[in-house]
Amino acid sequence: MSDRFAALHAHHAKVADRAILSLFDDNRAQDFSVQVDGMLFDFSKTNIDAAALAQLLALTTATGLAEKRSAMFGGQKINDTEGRAVLHTALRAGDAAVVMVDGADVLPEVRATRARMTAFVDDVRSGAFRGQGGRITDVVNIGIGGSDLGPAMATLALAPYADGPRLHYVSNVDGAHIADTLKGLNPQTTLVIVASKTFATTETMTNADTAKRWMAGHVANPSAQFCAVSIAADKTAAYGIDPSRVFGFADWVGGRYSIWGPIGLGVMLAVGPLAFAQFLAGGRAMDDHFRTAPFAANMPVLLALVGLWHTQICGYATRAVLPYDQRLSRLPAYLQQLEMESNGKRVAMDGADLPYHSGPVVWGEPGTNGQHAFYQLIHQGTRVVPCEFLVAKAGHEPDLAHHHLLLVANCLAQSEALLRGRSLAEATAIMAQKGLTGDELDRQARHRVFPGNRPSTTLAYAKLTPFTLGQILALYEHRVFVEGVLLGLNSFDQWGVELGKELAVALQPILEGRQTTADKDGSTKVLVAFLRP
Ligand code: F6P
């Protein structure tokens, strides 16, 4: 396994210092980009050349990507540390699809749940389902991780399509989050969604209890204004939520991949079932592309290969996701879970230590805000941060088209600046024009040099519609899958979140003063002594 990337490392060693700009001939922008269903992914502003691309593509054969892709879509239990299939794609499958798990087609159940969800959403939106003080005006989704990040991100992304009740998302166990959210809401016209795959997550259940107490102070039957999204029907029943308002899914849907099903209930309430169906159609279109396009023209595969080149071959530790689309401002947080919980692993499928780094640190903020904050480091810092720009051709505000033009200009300017940089000679000429001379000219000019030659990719699309959002999310999901296959790890478990959870449980009685800190390290002892109420 350690030789898996040897040829790529050898090639990289030869080309690492060359100017990306020197790679551009008349065809590069076409050859190193791909268009699918109205979306353009351009990776020509990277140091990947034809030889590197061929070697990267060879990895897909060497690692059995095609077979593993079939295994995933076919319902095989590829998440083998949890003994589960990985079938979030089934949640957006077409009407004629059949997906077998353990000898049975799982899609009738998926469709039946979606039909119940749709009926409930229609009732809430039409006013047929009412709160104890009238029509539902507000919905509070209580969940965390995959039960929050996806729907919260998508609700914001699809704001122009929202014509239902107002959606609010509470995730943090910090009481500030729920207190600030409930303030100003009318408990008699608020619907609470408790979204938790396991219905056992401490943060979510603590917030749900608080919301229930808040509602109980104002309505006769708080449970009647609660619904649940979970696979744990026994627990939702014990919590007093009527089964007619419980929407389940199977254990083959991972939390961070769950927005396409009942975890998307909040999104469907906000934008309506039709727009939600378009969102699913966008995801499905990307699935079809991923399943059928040759790898050399396959957008998720190419996105993954670029990621692997930057992380494992060039050694860049992070990647920035920079949507020039304000409504995608939660996309970086969503992708942090999707990518880092999936591919932030240290062992291979067989349990052996990985002989190379796994997934990168993913971070970002929307443009142009980031330009006035951290782009300084991206342009002139000593570390290279590959940047992934996203931008739409048009916004949803035709009256503000001049804003959009500025937005696009800034996005393109940033990738151009990263590519070109500004040489010492250019900086010196600029400063000389301002009258500087001698040592001071040299000193001032050096501060104004941009090394350039910094890689970026751009994902461009016509407009952030529900369909486009579906395409984008499925694109990134498959990118994570492909990177996981190339790295030989399990992208679908998340054992790394467990230890902290266990220790938090053990620390509660210590903080309450019911147990001592005897078995704790010196630092934790001091912190407990300081923080104990
Ligand atoms: O702690 C990590 C995690 O298990 C995520 O994978 C998941 O999305 C989140 O917690 C929430 O889990 P649940 O939906 O079961 O409350």
mmCIF file of all heavy atoms in Angstrom, residues 144-147 195-199 201 204 255-256 337 341 494 497 501, ligand 1:
data_model
loop_
_atom_site.group_PDB
_atom_site.id
_atom_site.type_symbol
_atom_site.label_atom_id
_atom_site.label_comp_id
_atom_site.label_asym_id
_atom_site.label_seq_id
_atom_site.Cartn_x
_atom_site.Cartn_y
_atom_site.Cartn_z
ATOM 1 N N ILE A 144 -28.311 17.627 15.635
ATOM 2 C CA ILE A 144 -26.906 18.053 15.605
ATOM 3 C C ILE A 144 -26.155 17.207 14.585
ATOM 4 O O ILE A 144 -26.631 16.127 14.207
ATOM 5 C CB ILE A 144 -26.268 17.953 17.024
ATOM 6 C CG1 ILE A 144 -24.967 18.766 17.124
ATOM 7 C CG2 ILE A 144 -26.034 16.509 17.446
ATOM 8 C CD1 ILE A 144 -24.503 19.034 18.552
ATOM 9 N N GLY A 145 -25.018 17.691 14.119
ATOM 10 C CA GLY A 145 -24.251 16.951 13.109
ATOM 11 C C GLY A 145 -25.087 16.791 11.856
ATOM 12 O O GLY A 145 -25.700 17.742 11.359
ATOM 13 N N GLY A 146 -25.163 15.578 11.353
ATOM 14 C CA GLY A 146 -25.912 15.329 10.119
ATOM 15 C C GLY A 146 -27.397 15.624 10.252
ATOM 16 O O GLY A 146 -28.074 15.815 9.235
ATOM 17 N N SER A 147 -27.890 15.671 11.459
ATOM 18 C CA SER A 147 -29.312 15.953 11.662
ATOM 19 C C SER A 147 -29.575 17.446 11.762
ATOM 20 O O SER A 147 -30.698 17.861 12.117
ATOM 21 C CB SER A 147 -29.805 15.228 12.916
ATOM 22 O OG SER A 147 -29.592 13.844 12.781
ATOM 23 N N ALA A 195 -34.881 15.815 15.474
ATOM 24 C CA ALA A 195 -34.213 15.077 14.388
ATOM 25 C C ALA A 195 -32.983 14.390 14.948
ATOM 26 O O ALA A 195 -31.983 15.033 15.258
ATOM 27 C CB ALA A 195 -33.824 16.046 13.271
ATOM 28 N N SER A 196 -33.072 13.101 15.104
ATOM 29 C CA SER A 196 -31.927 12.356 15.610
ATOM 30 C C SER A 196 -32.041 10.917 15.141
ATOM 31 O O SER A 196 -32.994 10.223 15.502
ATOM 32 C CB SER A 196 -31.877 12.401 17.142
ATOM 33 O OG SER A 196 -30.839 11.577 17.612
ATOM 34 N N LYS A 197 -31.082 10.492 14.357
ATOM 35 C CA LYS A 197 -31.109 9.122 13.846
ATOM 36 C C LYS A 197 -31.245 8.144 15.021
ATOM 37 O O LYS A 197 -32.081 7.258 15.015
ATOM 38 C CB LYS A 197 -29.822 8.867 13.060
ATOM 39 C CG LYS A 197 -29.710 7.485 12.471
ATOM 40 C CD LYS A 197 -28.467 7.390 11.589
ATOM 41 C CE LYS A 197 -28.154 5.937 11.256
ATOM 42 N NZ LYS A 197 -26.956 5.785 10.441
ATOM 43 N N THR A 198 -30.445 8.356 16.043
ATOM 44 C CA THR A 198 -30.435 7.423 17.174
ATOM 45 C C THR A 198 -31.459 7.776 18.249
ATOM 46 O O THR A 198 -31.797 6.944 19.080
ATOM 47 C CB THR A 198 -29.050 7.451 17.851
ATOM 48 O OG1 THR A 198 -28.755 8.827 18.172
ATOM 49 C CG2 THR A 198 -27.978 6.905 16.928
ATOM 50 N N PHE A 199 -31.923 8.988 18.267
ATOM 51 C CA PHE A 199 -32.786 9.530 19.324
ATOM 52 C C PHE A 199 -32.129 9.332 20.691
ATOM 53 O O PHE A 199 -32.785 9.079 21.701
ATOM 54 C CB PHE A 199 -34.177 8.875 19.295
ATOM 55 C CG PHE A 199 -35.284 9.882 19.512
ATOM 56 C CD1 PHE A 199 -35.593 10.806 18.532
ATOM 57 C CD2 PHE A 199 -36.015 9.907 20.700
ATOM 58 C CE1 PHE A 199 -36.608 11.745 18.719
ATOM 59 C CE2 PHE A 199 -37.026 10.845 20.899
ATOM 60 C CZ PHE A 199 -37.323 11.750 19.897
ATOM 61 N N THR A 201 -28.849 11.166 21.195
ATOM 62 C CA THR A 201 -27.734 12.104 21.251
ATOM 63 C C THR A 201 -27.990 13.132 22.358
ATOM 64 O O THR A 201 -29.047 13.787 22.379
ATOM 65 C CB THR A 201 -27.558 12.783 19.876
ATOM 66 O OG1 THR A 201 -27.365 11.742 18.912
ATOM 67 C CG2 THR A 201 -26.380 13.721 19.844
ATOM 68 N N THR A 204 -29.141 16.747 21.530
ATOM 69 C CA THR A 204 -30.477 16.840 20.940
ATOM 70 C C THR A 204 -31.554 16.539 21.979
ATOM 71 O O THR A 204 -32.566 17.258 22.063
ATOM 72 C CB THR A 204 -30.574 15.864 19.744
ATOM 73 O OG1 THR A 204 -29.603 16.266 18.781
ATOM 74 C CG2 THR A 204 -31.955 15.875 19.123
ATOM 75 N N GLY A 255 -25.604 9.562 9.038
ATOM 76 C CA GLY A 255 -26.091 10.872 9.473
ATOM 77 C C GLY A 255 -25.707 11.998 8.527
ATOM 78 O O GLY A 255 -26.537 12.824 8.138
ATOM 79 N N ARG A 256 -24.441 12.028 8.119
ATOM 80 C CA ARG A 256 -23.966 13.142 7.289
ATOM 81 C C ARG A 256 -24.406 13.022 5.834
ATOM 82 O O ARG A 256 -24.106 13.886 5.019
ATOM 83 C CB ARG A 256 -22.442 13.264 7.395
ATOM 84 C CG ARG A 256 -21.673 11.978 7.109
ATOM 85 C CD ARG A 256 -20.214 12.096 7.555
ATOM 86 N NE ARG A 256 -19.472 10.851 7.397
ATOM 87 C CZ ARG A 256 -19.418 9.880 8.295
ATOM 88 N NH1 ARG A 256 -20.079 9.995 9.432
ATOM 89 N NH2 ARG A 256 -18.701 8.794 8.085
ATOM 90 N N GLN A 337 -18.206 18.358 8.056
ATOM 91 C CA GLN A 337 -18.654 17.060 8.579
ATOM 92 C C GLN A 337 -18.562 15.988 7.496
ATOM 93 O O GLN A 337 -18.029 14.905 7.716
ATOM 94 C CB GLN A 337 -20.086 17.116 9.115
ATOM 95 C CG GLN A 337 -20.431 15.793 9.824
ATOM 96 C CD GLN A 337 -21.905 15.525 10.033
ATOM 97 O OE1 GLN A 337 -22.763 16.158 9.420
ATOM 98 N NE2 GLN A 337 -22.212 14.583 10.901
ATOM 99 N N GLU A 341 -15.494 13.910 8.803
ATOM 100 C CA GLU A 341 -15.995 12.751 9.543
ATOM 101 C C GLU A 341 -15.865 11.490 8.674
ATOM 102 O O GLU A 341 -15.714 10.389 9.177
ATOM 103 C CB GLU A 341 -17.459 12.962 9.976
ATOM 104 C CG GLU A 341 -17.890 12.088 11.139
ATOM 105 C CD GLU A 341 -19.203 12.501 11.778
ATOM 106 O OE1 GLU A 341 -20.271 12.249 11.181
ATOM 107 O OE2 GLU A 341 -19.191 13.084 12.880
ATOM 108 N N GLN A 494 -17.527 6.462 12.005
ATOM 109 C CA GLN A 494 -17.051 7.678 12.667
ATOM 110 C C GLN A 494 -16.695 7.383 14.116
ATOM 111 O O GLN A 494 -17.185 8.009 15.039
ATOM 112 C CB GLN A 494 -18.083 8.828 12.581
ATOM 113 C CG GLN A 494 -19.502 8.538 13.126
ATOM 114 C CD GLN A 494 -20.319 7.688 12.211
ATOM 115 O OE1 GLN A 494 -20.319 7.881 11.010
ATOM 116 N NE2 GLN A 494 -21.017 6.710 12.779
ATOM 117 N N VAL A 497 -15.566 9.940 17.064
ATOM 118 C CA VAL A 497 -16.380 10.859 17.867
ATOM 119 C C VAL A 497 -16.747 10.241 19.214
ATOM 120 O O VAL A 497 -17.327 10.907 20.078
ATOM 121 C CB VAL A 497 -17.684 11.280 17.131
ATOM 122 C CG1 VAL A 497 -17.359 11.918 15.792
ATOM 123 C CG2 VAL A 497 -18.623 10.095 16.939
ATOM 124 N N LYS A 501 -17.371 11.635 23.674
ATOM 125 C CA LYS A 501 -18.741 11.476 24.206
ATOM 126 C C LYS A 501 -18.714 10.712 25.523
ATOM 127 O O LYS A 501 -19.372 11.080 26.494
ATOM 128 C CB LYS A 501 -19.608 10.685 23.211
ATOM 129 C CG LYS A 501 -20.067 11.442 21.993
ATOM 130 C CD LYS A 501 -21.037 10.572 21.202
ATOM 131 C CE LYS A 501 -21.273 11.096 19.809
ATOM 132 N NZ LYS A 501 -22.058 10.228 18.962
HETATM 133 O O1 F6P B 1 -21.340 12.385 16.891
HETATM 134 C C1 F6P B 1 -21.358 12.196 15.525
HETATM 135 C C2 F6P B 1 -22.722 11.828 15.024
HETATM 136 O O2 F6P B 1 -22.958 10.475 15.251
HETATM 137 C C3 F6P B 1 -22.857 12.176 13.566
HETATM 138 O O3 F6P B 1 -22.329 11.219 12.731
HETATM 139 C C4 F6P B 1 -24.317 12.380 13.452
HETATM 140 O O4 F6P B 1 -24.642 13.078 12.295
HETATM 141 C C5 F6P B 1 -24.602 13.150 14.710
HETATM 142 O O5 F6P B 1 -23.743 12.556 15.670
HETATM 143 C C6 F6P B 1 -26.021 13.146 15.187
HETATM 144 O O6 F6P B 1 -26.498 11.868 15.445
HETATM 145 P P1 F6P B 1 -28.041 11.590 15.647
HETATM 146 O O7 F6P B 1 -28.740 11.943 14.389
HETATM 147 O O8 F6P B 1 -28.138 10.132 15.979
HETATM 148 O O9 F6P B 1 -28.519 12.451 16.790
#
